[in-house]
Amino acid sequence: MKTLNRYLIGIFLTILSFGAFAAEEEPSSFSALLTGVSSGVDTFFNDYLGWFVNLIFYSLPVAGTKFPLIVGWLFIAAIIFTFYFGFVQFRRSGLALGIVSGKYSDPNAKEDGEVSHFQALTTALSGTVGLGNIAGVGVAVAIGGPGATFWMIMCGLLGMASKFFECTLGVKYRTILPSGAVSGGPMYYLRDAMAERGFGGLGKVLAIGFALMCILGSFGGGNMFQANQAHAMLTYAFDVPPEYGIITGVVLAALVFSVIVGGMPSIASVTEKVVPYMAALYLGMGIIVILMNLDQIGAAFSAIFEGAFTGAGVVGGVLGALIQGLKRATFSNEAGIGSAAIAHSAVKTKEPITEGLVATLEPFIDTVVICTMTALVITIAGLNVAPFDGAGLTGVQLTAASFSDSVGIFKYFLALAVIMFAFSTMISWSYYGLKAWTYLFGEGKSMEMIFKLIFCMFVIVGATIQFGAVIDFSDAAIFAMSIFNIIGLYFLMPIVKEELASFVARVKSGEIKKYK
Amino acid sequence: MKIKDTPIDLNKAILQKGPKFRSHTVIFQNNVADLKPTMSSLAFCLVYIVVGLFLLALAAIVYHNKKQLDFTLFLGGVGIAILTFGITLVMPFVKQVTFDKNTGSYKNNIDRKVKLENIISLQILNKMVTSKHGLSYPCYELNMLTKNGRRINVLNHNDIDQLLSDAEKLAEFLSVELIDLRHEIIL
């Protein structure tokens, strides 16, 4: 194993040296080589995985536009969960804030290694602020116009119920693997909770389906999209040629490699500590831009509301704006996807419902607050004009251009934040993917190593690709997870309803004490 | 000044985190027990140093070829940050940690020296390293307890077989008892 590790490091270092040398000595042939590689990989994704993308985004013609069924699938599920749990995200928001503020925690009974509620909140914040808020909003308004923002907000508000539901189940049905590692998420609740409800066979099928899609999602949206947008940001901020994405990819892959293959907790800890500051930096920049343009806020909100209900300049009109808003909001807050349930299952708590309630805050902060802020900055800058067909600036470049339109230096801070967010998201998704991988193939050093090496390879592929197929695949893989997750969630609604009722009753009776 | 009697919770881990690999092994030579970093742990720390140096070199190339100051500063800044991080990671590995019977002392270059005669026991503890956005895994500590109630961490890693073997040999070397305080962890 040690020898293998050393060889791998050697290979990485050789690539690094080659990248630097080639960049200096033969820029034209190097560029041609990289463009060829990029084009080849994109063609491969298009030819061999295009069917998968088409299947996941299968669309029906509705009011003259193509409506992807998967978008309706997620939106309708969020509406049903909202009604079924009695608008838990609004009615129990006080309880959620109380849990986060430590109202229900005994200050004298803090367990070893237990994180404080403030830490839990900052972790949640840093986990939600990412490229979905920066690049995703840029894509949504570039294609869906300002009106897409309204639908993002709606999706965020409803998605709070989905997140409450899946994160509660994630904690309730987590398991301790033979190695002692804690594992949880849809794979486990689909298998175990469905069996409890008498649907064991279906549960196993759904769990396997989810795990497969989660692995693909970890390679796609959780990896390639992140690396791709990190390099796109460097291209925008510093005019780095797109074909040099391989260097960005190799550097990121080396760092990801050290964390996921080496198991170094230090860099992961540093990332966890730095990312909240990056999130604060991003929020601070957004607030500054908004404050500098206070007189345009009214007009920006008008554009958002008008666009939501007129769909002016958007391909597909209102429906087009709605589709983009819902797609990007889901990509950003991951509600209904199932990934958050994996992350939340590692938390130390005896009450699964508390984690579910805390999780409701994430789509709110992520989509309702931060995505709206990004959309306002873009709308205020006015660089995104009709027709909204994505032909102009889009994604992270549109967002960055809008920020630097008010304060030029912001593009540098944004570049730093984007790279940090991309890196931390890749680490998180490597963890989700690995959990799904070990669910399917069991724990074992060799099998885990295969996943980790493939994951690192995809970092390089993602940063290298310049064309659309990789982005389409990234989207499809993430959305595909929701198909299996939500089918199971429909069967498991009574379990969480009972759990919620019990928790609320115990809070009211004083069995669960208030300490503040 | 009155000194308070504060009970020591031996079950409480000294360090919250720890690596998911074997970071050190104990090597016995003559009258000295040395904690040696493993090659793989050093190699993974070196990744950061290499990446940091690479970015610094790239910054120099960019400045030399294009005179692009903003990108040079960006690359240089990130490179220095990663390099510094790598160096701080390597430092604990290269610091000498020894139990020396010739001098009768234990030194780790972090805590003040401890006389070997003052070490009363070694203890093995288990803990769960958890993270919401990362791996969660069991990790183990080998700590020593001194006569005046100090607890000092000796080993902290994920390879329990190696840690048990090292702990037994070390306890025999120091002629102190080895207490296994591993317990079931309920999340």
Side-chain angles (χ1 to χ4, degrees):
Chain A
M1 198 65 219
K2 271 192 268 180
T3 320
L4 174 68
N5 290 341
R6 265 175 258 158
Y7 276 126
L8 292 170
I9 290 166
I11 291 167
F12 267 115
L13 300 184
T14 310
I15 296 170
L16 285 172
S17 320
F18 166 74
F21 176 78
E24 186 185 24
E25 296 299 322
E26 290 178 59
S28 56
S29 60
F30 184 60
S31 299
L33 172 74
L34 293 181
T35 307
V37 170
S38 182
S39 175
V41 176
D42 197 69
T43 306
F44 172 84
F45 269 84
N46 211 22
D47 293 350
Y48 293 96
L49 296 166
W51 63 269
F52 174 73
V53 177
N54 293 334
L55 180 72
I56 301 303
F57 289 116
Y58 183 76
S59 305
L60 287 179
V62 178
T65 191
K66 285 184 172 178
F67 187 84
L69 289 179
I70 192 81
V71 174
W73 173 251
L74 277 154
F75 195 54
I76 290 166
I79 293 171
I80 291 172
F81 300 150
T82 298
F83 276 96
Y84 185 79
F85 294 113
F87 292 86
V88 62
Q89 67 267 50
F90 309 121
R91 288 181 56 216
R92 303 293 170 206
S93 57
L95 201 53
L97 289 169
I99 294 164
V100 168
S101 65
K103 202 171 173 181
Y104 299 97
S105 306
D106 183 353
N108 300 317
K110 194 171 182 286
E111 283 175 28
D112 225 16
E114 191 180 335
V115 292
S116 73
H117 289 283
F118 178 73
Q119 282 172 310
L121 182 64
T122 54
T123 307
L125 272 173
S126 63
T128 53
V129 184
L131 283 184
N133 306 90
I134 304 172
V137 178
V139 173
V141 295
I143 306 173
T149 313
F150 176 84
W151 298 111
M152 287 186 85
I153 295 170
M154 288 305 292
C155 185
L157 291 172
L158 294 168
M160 290 164 79
S162 307
K163 217 157 191 184
F164 157 77
F165 187 10
E166 60 193 4
C167 291
T168 303
L169 286 171
V171 177
K172 191 171 168 64
Y173 291 94
R174 64 186 173 185
T175 186
I176 309 287
L177 297 176
S179 68
V182 186
S183 215
M187 303 82 78
Y188 296 95
Y189 64 67
L190 289 172
R191 184 190 66 189
D192 301 338
M194 288 287 279
E196 257 181 46
R197 302 269 302 148
F199 301 101
L202 176 63
K204 277 181 191 165
V205 172
L206 293 176
I208 291 170
F210 176 85
L212 278 172
M213 292 307 131
C214 185
I215 293 166
L216 290 179
S218 73
F219 294 148
N223 180 340
M224 287 196 293
F225 176 77
Q226 307 295 326
N228 187 280
Q229 292 296 291
H231 188 69
M233 185 65 218
L234 291 179
T235 300
Y236 172 78
F238 303 108
D239 291 326
V240 179
E243 58 268 27
Y244 288 127
I246 195 164
I247 298 173
T248 307
V250 169
V251 168
L252 283 172
L255 297 176
V256 170
F257 173 83
S258 75
V259 176
I260 68 170
V261 180
M264 293 291 295
S266 317
I267 184 78
S269 305
V270 168
T271 309
E272 276 179 18
K273 285 188 179 81
V274 171
V275 164
Y277 291 102
M278 287 292 142
L281 177 74
Y282 182 70
L283 279 171
M285 288 192 296
I287 290 166
I288 289 171
V289 171
I290 289 170
L291 288 176
M292 284 172 68
N293 299 281
L294 264 180
D295 54 325
Q296 293 179 50
I297 295 294
F301 271 116
S302 294
I304 288 170
F305 284 107
E306 275 176 35
F309 298 104
T310 62
V314 180
V315 180
V318 176
L319 211 55
L322 183 142
I323 292 166
Q324 287 310 318
L326 299 187
K327 267 176 88 171
R328 292 302 114 206
T330 303
F331 193 85
S332 178
N333 64 39
E334 296 171 21
I337 297 293
S339 51
I342 304 175
H344 282 266
S345 64
V347 79
K348 286 190 176 183
T349 181
K350 293 179 185 95
E351 294 283 355
I353 219 80
T354 57
E355 199 55 24
L357 286 170
V358 170
T360 60
L361 300 175
E362 292 177 12
F364 183 81
I365 298 167
D366 175 274
T367 313
V368 180
V369 178
I370 301 172
C371 285
T372 306
M373 186 194 79
T374 306
L376 277 176
V377 170
I378 294 173
T379 310
I380 286 168
L383 301 173
N384 182 44
V385 288
F388 303 109
D389 53 6
L393 279 175
T394 182
V396 74
Q397 297 192 340
L398 173 62
T399 309
S402 302
F403 270 88
S404 28
D405 187 60
S406 290
V407 184
I409 200 170
F410 277 0
K411 71 176 178 183
Y412 301 124
F413 295 131
L414 208 55
L416 194 62
V418 163
I419 290 169
M420 286 301 296
F421 287 143
F423 181 68
S424 69
T425 308
M426 283 190 272
I427 299 298
S428 296
W429 273 92
S430 72
Y431 165 65
Y432 304 157
L434 187 61
K435 289 287 166 195
W437 184 272
T438 51
Y439 179 80
L440 289 178
F441 305 110
E443 286 187 301
K445 283 193 173 172
S446 314
M447 285 307 287
E448 289 179 21
M449 182 60 79
I450 292 170
F451 171 82
K452 289 168 182 175
L453 291 177
I454 296 173
F455 191 88
C456 290
M457 192 191 75
F458 271 97
V459 178
I460 302 171
V461 172
T464 310
I465 302 260
Q466 301 159 36
F467 308 103
V470 66
I471 304 294
D472 292 341
F473 172 77
S474 298
D475 256 2
I478 294 271
F479 279 88
M481 290 163 67
S482 74
I483 298 173
F484 299 94
N485 187 39
I486 287 175
I487 292 175
L489 289 181
Y490 283 130
F491 285 89
L492 305 175
M493 291 196 298
I495 295 176
V496 173
K497 192 166 195 173
E498 202 178 303
E499 191 93 15
L500 176 64
S502 156
F503 182 77
V504 172
R506 281 181 290 140
V507 169
K508 280 183 181 166
S509 71
E511 191 184 329
I512 292 173
K513 286 181 191 168
K514 284 182 189 173
Y515 293 90
K516 281 184 184 173
Chain B
M1 196 177 85
K2 202 176 175 184
I3 298 169
K4 267 194 207 169
D5 271 349
T6 313
I8 304 166
D9 183 359
L10 293 178
N11 286 301
K12 199 169 180 178
I14 293 179
L15 305 167
Q16 240 187 24
K17 303 222 166 185
K20 193 180 179 286
F21 53 82
R22 182 196 311 161
S23 62
H24 292 82
T25 51
V26 185
I27 308 291
F28 297 89
Q29 216 166 24
N30 302 323
N31 280 329
V32 180
D34 256 325
L35 263 64
K36 291 278 181 203
T38 56
M39 279 308 291
S40 57
S41 60
L42 267 175
F44 282 114
C45 296
L46 285 175
V47 169
Y48 298 103
I49 293 178
V50 172
V51 169
L53 288 173
F54 171 71
L55 290 177
L56 284 173
L58 208 58
I61 292 168
V62 167
Y63 188 72
H64 180 261
N65 288 355
K66 297 180 76 180
K67 300 279 182 288
Q68 193 185 347
L69 193 61
D70 58 355
F71 195 37
T72 303
L73 288 174
F74 184 83
L75 281 174
V78 175
I80 287 170
I82 294 175
L83 179 65
T84 310
F85 179 72
I87 291 169
T88 56
L89 272 185
V90 169
M91 290 307 280
F93 286 108
V94 293
K95 272 184 183 164
Q96 234 192 347
V97 183
T98 51
F99 293 86
D100 191 342
K101 278 186 178 172
N102 299 318
T103 58
S105 65
Y106 161 83
K107 62 171 185 176
N108 63 3
N109 291 305
I110 301 167
D111 302 281
R112 61 177 190 269
K113 277 184 187 175
V114 177
K115 284 184 180 170
L116 295 186
E117 63 192 40
N118 286 341
I119 299 171
I120 53 171
S121 71
L122 295 177
Q123 55 162 254
I124 298 171
L125 273 181
N126 62 325
K127 61 190 172 186
M128 186 66 79
V129 178
T130 55
S131 168
K132 215 168 183 179
H133 298 279
L135 296 165
S136 109
Y137 52 87
C139 195
Y140 307 89
E141 286 185 6
L142 176 67
N143 301 324
M144 66 181 184
L145 188 66
T146 67
K147 272 180 190 167
N148 54 5
R150 281 172 74 199
R151 281 201 311 153
I152 296 169
N153 177 255
V154 180
L155 290 169
N156 178 42
H157 61 71
N158 171 255
D159 187 340
I160 184 61
D161 295 333
Q162 183 65 43
L163 191 128
L164 277 171
S165 156
D166 286 341
E168 278 164 15
K169 287 180 199 160
L170 203 54
E172 198 182 315
F173 176 79
L174 297 169
S175 305
V176 295
E177 70 169 328
L178 175 64
I179 311 166
D180 193 341
L181 292 172
R182 282 179 293 165
H183 57 286
E184 193 190 353
I185 295 173
I186 299 162
L187 283 168

